[in-house]
Amino acid sequence: MSFPQPDITPLSAPYWDGLKQGKLLFQQCRACGNRWLPARDACPNCLKREAEWVESAGRGRIVSWVVYHVSYNDAFKDRVPYDVTLVELDEGPRLLSNIVNGDAGRKLSLHAPVALQIEHEGDLALARFKLV
Ligand SMILES: [Zn+2]
């Protein structure tokens, strides 16, 4: 089974295109400075529609994680157990990801520093992280 594909829209396309170019981008509000992921057309803080895309330095910390021991999609049946980890970038936005060297969650700890590691699944580039 093929890797599940995201629903890429004109709004989210810069995020996915950025990853293909080796950059992790997030949105930043020109009005209030708020920063966020995933893409949305209005600032979740002030609701103005003045977002710009900004490149992350690719550093962050682990906020939370779970370990999947059961595959709910056949595409992942050969990958269990694996982690799904919430990472907070140093710039503030949070995103769900995987830790590539986390030994299926056994090496993860709260606030552990991580660094971006872009990986490819077919034509898709994904923002994953490694413990540093
Ligand atoms: Zn704002």
Side-chain angles (χ1 to χ4, degrees), residues 29-34 36 43-48:
C29 178
R30 288 190 183 99
C32 75
N34 187 35
W36 67 88
C43 172
N45 182 50
C46 72
L47 302 180
K48 292 194 173 144

Side-chain angles (χ1 to χ4, degrees), residues 2 6 9 11 17 22 30 36 40 45 48-49 55 62 70-71 73-74 80 98 102 119 123 126:
S2 62
T9 65
L11 179 65
D17 291 344
R30 288 190 183 99
W36 67 88
R40 46 188 294 171
N45 182 50
K48 292 194 173 144
R49 299 174 185 270
E55 182 178 357
I62 292 174
V70 174
S71 170
N73 183 311
D74 283 347
V80 291
N98 311 112
E119 294 193 339
D123 291 337
L126 295 172

